[in-house]
Amino acid sequence: MKPCAFALAMLAALPALAAEPFEPIDVFSLQYATDPELSPDGKAVAYVRTVMDIKSDRSLGNLWLAATDGKSDRPLTSGPHNARSPVWSPDGKKLLYIANDDGSNQLYLRWMDSGQTARLTNLTQSPGNISFSPDGKWIAFTMAVPNTPAPFAKMPAMPKGAHWAEPAKVIDKVYYRADGAGYLDDSITQLFVMGADGGAVRQLTKDPFNHGGSYSWDADSRSLVLSANRHQDWQFQPINTELYRVGLNGDITALTDRNGPDNNPRVSPNGKRIAYTGFDDKKLGYQNSALYLMNKDGSGKKVLATGLDRAIKDAFWDKSGDGLFVSFDDKGHTKLAYVSLAGKVTTLTDDMGGTELGRPYDSGSFSVAGNTLAYTRTSTSRPADVAVLTKGGKVRQLTHLNDDLFAFKQLGKVQEYWVRSKVDELPIQTWRVLPPDFDPAKQYPLLLEIHGGPFADYGARFAAEMQLYANAGYIVVYANPRGSTSYGEAFANRIHHNYPSHDYDDLMSVVDDAIAKGNVDTRNLFVTGGSGGGVLTAWIVGSTDRFRAAVVAKPVINWLSFTLTADFSPYFSQYWFAKKPWEDPMGYWQRSPLSKVGNVTTPTMLLTGESDYRTPISETEQFYQALKLQKVDTAMVRIPGAGHGLTARPSNLMRKVVYVLSWFDKHKAN
């Protein structure tokens, strides 16, 4: 009997136990798989098994190896550290990966026949984007290189024994801070190579541009095709990347030259073609990334799958070079498909994802060996497991990482349906999660949870936060209003230069429909959302008083201040607005939730990370102070050290849910 099957059989044989509620502390028991990498012979998948460490309050990842026949699943690394990015050598005899065993991220190489492992590097910065050359002789990777500018000013010498104030910090960059990274130094990401068994590290790119984009080795192992933005005004053209051929001698040749992104290069097995993704930039809020094909020298560019109105996220060639395996989101599901060189699209599966634990966003990854894929598989009841998929569409799941936990935990039933918007009858895909002990004879409070982005999508994927709300006795409703991705470019751009707008009406239609379905206590309607969902939650309480209470998480409250303080100001000011803030201040103000604060009567709590540089906490502070001046019942919850990824640490995922539920419980009608 297979190990997983044996474990499940043992669980089934145990005496029946009363199911327990899924509680916030159970977040520390969750596990999920990432980075599934198929061996060249297709017989094994190396992947990262991520667990939550309750002592350090961090996620920890170790490498595991699962046989594709389902007969074994074994650890390759272990211990309280992180290993990631497994990459097979072309002959399948070695496994390259990044780990921080000795306190810093370094490259490690494991010989699979003996299990012997060597640390290959002693780098001063963390490597990324690692790969073997096709001939197995080289390893390529990217790494930040310090670039210390000349001093702005020279201070007099400090006398011996004196203690002066800290030195001034001089900032002259367009991008000077980034969410998750803080204030940026002057380093530049460059491309490097080294011998496959270690040795001297050689820097290939040296010009003052970031070369940290995706790349693909040429078939002859003499050069690489790299995505980078090497335009002189790159800071003001934030998405205008091109593809370049970089030789092992450092020579660089441009292969594309259009205005728009060119990303994810994939050189065909025979080296004659390059597949890549991108689009002609029209400065729209949302633009689909199409799948392109060109000859090795950059000639003969064309679009594959012209009829697919969805954004291609990644692509890998099949063994023969006759087509590519791709991923894209479609109506709240992340699909894997095969695209022939004639442009025919054949869907293989629609259940990739599960690496976003908190909310049901798209996520996950896949790899290819021959005509077999390994991918992260999810459902509404499980985070990501490893599965393999053949070109014919047959799926075998190799891991069941959370079955031992959920054998004794209750989960709410997730139902998918569609709602017509009251504005224009636009179909809105919707889900609801019922309390695990749902009784059709009873009424329950309703919680509307709104996704961020706004150009993103929720879907049929596991979401710990939704399940925790349902286990607390709420009917939880979430939807993809206009502006969401996975329904085509036109659907997403219904909010282009007009957000928030009728997406509000879509969400109110979803609430009305949920009430019409029955079992909703209409005295107890609640609403919450984060980021773009925080924008809409703040807009909602300024537009209606139908909700008993609201929690606005990491919002934008004032578009004028946001556009000039967010970490990607050049992007937001070009793509989300037609003009700069001082050129159209009323246009910015009319779309700002702060403009509606005089209407708010709903008790509204705000919740944001203090180190959030995407939607800076100054936005939260503005709304909090305005609500106080209006004498609205409010509270501001600040999460120390947290960025826009508010729930990155397990305790903060729990903390968010606990504070949201406490606020709603405080204002619930009895």
Side-chain angles (χ1 to χ4, degrees), residues 268-269 273 317-324 338-343 391:
S268 64
R273 296 185 178 95
W317 288 93
D318 70 1
K319 183 178 181 180
S320 62
D322 293 329
L324 298 108
Y338 181 77
V339 180
S340 71
L341 295 187
K391 188 175 178 180

Side-chain angles (χ1 to χ4, degrees), residues 623-670:
F623 205 49
Y624 171 77
Q625 198 63 69
L627 291 171
K628 281 294 185 184
L629 292 175
Q630 288 295 106
K631 298 183 179 180
V632 175
D633 188 2
T634 186
M636 177 169 52
V637 179
R638 304 166 66 100
I639 308 299
H644 198 64
L646 184 65
T647 60
R649 300 186 71 171
S651 68
N652 280 341
L653 194 160
M654 294 190 299
R655 186 168 286 111
K656 176 186 176 184
V657 171
V658 167
Y659 275 81
V660 168
L661 291 174
S662 295
W663 184 254
F664 291 166
D665 286 345
K666 175 183 176 182
H667 295 94
K668 191 178 294 183
N670 297 319

Side-chain angles (χ1 to χ4, degrees), residues 29-361:
S29 297
L30 293 173
Q31 303 182 46
Y32 63 94
T34 60
D35 295 337
E37 291 295 318
L38 264 172
S39 60
D41 61 8
K43 294 182 178 180
V45 181
Y47 70 96
V48 179
R49 183 169 178 171
T50 301
V51 301
M52 309 298 145
D53 181 45
I54 199 168
K55 291 184 177 180
S56 65
D57 190 22
R58 303 282 184 184
S59 60
L60 298 177
N62 276 292
L63 299 184
W64 284 63
L65 188 70
T68 55
D69 62 7
K71 294 182 178 179
S72 65
D73 183 25
R74 301 171 182 173
L76 297 178
T77 67
S78 62
H81 58 256
N82 279 294
R84 58 184 173 88
S85 304
V87 176
W88 293 92
S89 62
D91 60 9
K93 295 181 179 180
K94 293 175 283 189
L95 190 70
L96 179 70
Y97 61 96
I98 301 171
N100 62 353
D101 293 21
D102 298 322
S104 64
N105 287 312
Q106 303 293 337
L107 295 180
Y108 287 80
L109 190 64
R110 179 187 179 97
W111 280 260
M112 300 305 292
D113 58 352
S114 66
Q116 292 174 306
T117 301
R119 173 173 160 171
L120 299 185
T121 60
N122 189 28
L123 304 171
T124 57
Q125 303 290 330
S126 296
N129 294 357
I130 61 175
S131 71
F132 278 101
S133 61
D135 62 8
K137 294 180 179 180
W138 300 98
I139 291 170
F141 62 92
T142 58
M143 184 176 66
V145 176
N147 180 36
T148 305
F152 180 79
K154 187 176 181 179
M155 286 282 290
M158 184 171 60
K160 185 177 180 180
H163 299 282
W164 290 3
E166 290 291 321
K169 297 178 180 179
V170 179
I171 296 173
D172 61 3
K173 301 184 291 293
V174 174
Y175 298 98
Y176 65 94
R177 63 184 183 182
D179 189 70
Y183 282 80
L184 303 175
D185 59 24
D186 293 295
S187 61
I188 296 174
T189 302
Q190 303 286 10
L191 181 64
F192 294 80
V193 294
M194 64 183 294
D197 291 331
V201 173
R202 185 156 52 90
Q203 184 175 332
L204 291 186
T205 57
K206 299 179 181 179
D207 295 325
F209 305 103
N210 282 307
H211 296 87
S214 54
Y215 66 85
S216 176
W217 280 92
D218 272 320
D220 61 7
S221 299
R222 296 179 181 178
S223 56
L224 307 95
V225 179
L226 169 72
S227 173
N229 190 337
R230 291 170 52 86
H231 299 283
Q232 289 301 321
D233 61 346
W234 64 270
Q235 295 185 92
F236 300 97
Q237 298 185 59
I239 67 172
N240 192 22
T241 54
E242 309 291 353
L243 297 185
Y244 300 89
R245 175 164 284 109
V246 182
L248 291 185
N249 59 1
D251 289 345
I252 298 179
T253 304
L255 298 175
T256 63
D257 61 356
R258 68 166 163 191
N259 181 25
D262 293 308
N263 298 318
N264 301 312
R266 302 292 181 192
V267 178
S268 64
N270 63 11
K272 294 182 179 181
R273 296 185 178 95
I274 302 170
Y276 59 103
T277 62
F279 54 81
D280 294 307
D281 191 5
K282 300 175 183 177
K283 290 291 195 293
L284 295 172
Y286 177 78
Q287 298 170 88
N288 278 337
S289 287
L291 180 63
Y292 285 80
L293 192 66
M294 67 180 175
N295 296 324
K296 179 180 179 179
D297 62 1
S299 64
K301 298 178 179 68
K302 66 176 182 179
V303 181
L304 290 180
T306 55
L308 181 65
D309 185 19
R310 299 292 185 267
I312 301 295
K313 295 195 286 187
D314 207 349
F316 295 94
W317 288 93
D318 70 1
K319 183 178 181 180
S320 62
D322 293 329
L324 298 108
F325 296 101
V326 303
S327 64
F328 58 88
D329 288 348
D330 179 43
K331 298 178 181 177
H333 296 261
T334 302
K335 293 185 174 182
L336 293 173
Y338 181 77
V339 180
S340 71
L341 295 187
K344 181 182 178 182
V345 180
T346 304
T347 298
L348 303 175
T349 189
D350 66 354
D351 55 1
M352 189 172 87
T355 61
E356 289 279 347
L357 283 185
R359 295 186 282 167
Y361 284 116

Side-chain angles (χ1 to χ4, degrees), residues 463-544:
E465 292 179 35
M466 309 302 194
Q467 290 291 342
L468 289 169
Y469 294 142
N471 262 271
Y474 290 81
I475 293 177
V476 184
V477 176
Y478 58 97
N480 287 334
R482 68 191 69 208
S484 301
T485 56
S486 79
Y487 306 91
E489 195 167 291
F491 186 95
N493 282 311
R494 284 176 179 267
I495 64 167
H496 177 59
H497 293 174
N498 191 27
Y499 162 69
S501 58
H502 290 312
D503 39 359
Y504 161 79
D505 299 296
D506 297 342
L507 292 168
M508 293 306 98
S509 300
V510 166
V511 172
D512 292 340
D513 181 84
I515 293 172
K517 285 186 179 343
N519 302 108
V520 172
D521 179 357
T522 55
R523 301 171 306 155
N524 284 307
L525 307 180
F526 300 92
V527 59
T528 186
S531 192
V535 175
L536 280 165
T537 303
W539 190 265
I540 285 169
V541 296
S543 303
T544 180

Side-chain angles (χ1 to χ4, degrees), residues 367-594:
S367 65
V368 175
N371 289 323
T372 302
L373 292 76
Y375 72 103
T376 49
R377 188 187 200 193
T378 190
S379 68
T380 56
S381 63
R382 294 292 185 274
D385 276 296
V386 177
V388 289
L389 169 70
T390 64
K391 188 175 178 180
K394 183 179 179 181
V395 175
R396 175 185 290 125
Q397 187 166 317
L398 304 182
T399 66
H400 297 82
L401 301 181
N402 292 280
D403 280 4
D404 56 345
L405 171 65
F406 290 125
F408 308 111
K409 294 290 178 180
Q410 299 181 94
L411 290 179
K413 182 180 180 181
V414 181
Q415 299 174 331
E416 179 180 330
Y417 55 97
W418 292 76
V419 174
R420 292 280 180 177
S421 176
K422 62 184 179 181
V423 175
D424 52 10
E425 293 295 303
L426 186 70
I428 304 299
Q429 193 174 17
T430 307
W431 293 262
R432 71 172 183 171
V433 188
L434 300 176
D437 57 355
F438 178 75
D439 183 345
K442 294 183 178 180
Q443 290 187 325
Y444 299 86
L446 178 75
L447 193 161
L448 172 65
E449 212 284 346
I450 309 171
H451 75 63
F455 302 112
D457 67 85
Y458 276 166
R461 306 149 183 143
F462 178 80
E465 292 179 35
M466 309 302 194
Q467 290 291 342
L468 289 169
Y469 294 142
N471 262 271
Y474 290 81
I475 293 177
V476 184
V477 176
Y478 58 97
N480 287 334
R482 68 191 69 208
S484 301
T485 56
S486 79
Y487 306 91
E489 195 167 291
F491 186 95
N493 282 311
R494 284 176 179 267
I495 64 167
H496 177 59
H497 293 174
N498 191 27
Y499 162 69
S501 58
H502 290 312
D503 39 359
Y504 161 79
D505 299 296
D506 297 342
L507 292 168
M508 293 306 98
S509 300
V510 166
V511 172
D512 292 340
D513 181 84
I515 293 172
K517 285 186 179 343
N519 302 108
V520 172
D521 179 357
T522 55
R523 301 171 306 155
N524 284 307
L525 307 180
F526 300 92
V527 59
T528 186
S531 192
V535 175
L536 280 165
T537 303
W539 190 265
I540 285 169
V541 296
S543 303
T544 180
D545 62 358
R546 71 185 304 188
F547 292 95
R548 192 81 185 179
V551 176
V552 176
K554 51 187 181 182
V556 175
I557 295 302
N558 182 344
W559 288 111
L560 291 101
S561 56
F562 162 80
T563 307
L564 299 176
T565 57
D567 53 357
F568 290 120
S569 179
Y571 178 84
F572 297 125
S573 60
Q574 290 185 64
Y575 292 86
W576 286 15
F577 292 89
K579 298 179 180 180
K580 297 181 178 68
W582 51 91
E583 296 171 341
D584 183 26
M586 287 309 299
Y588 280 72
W589 178 249
Q590 289 166 358
R591 291 165 53 187
S592 297
L594 190 58

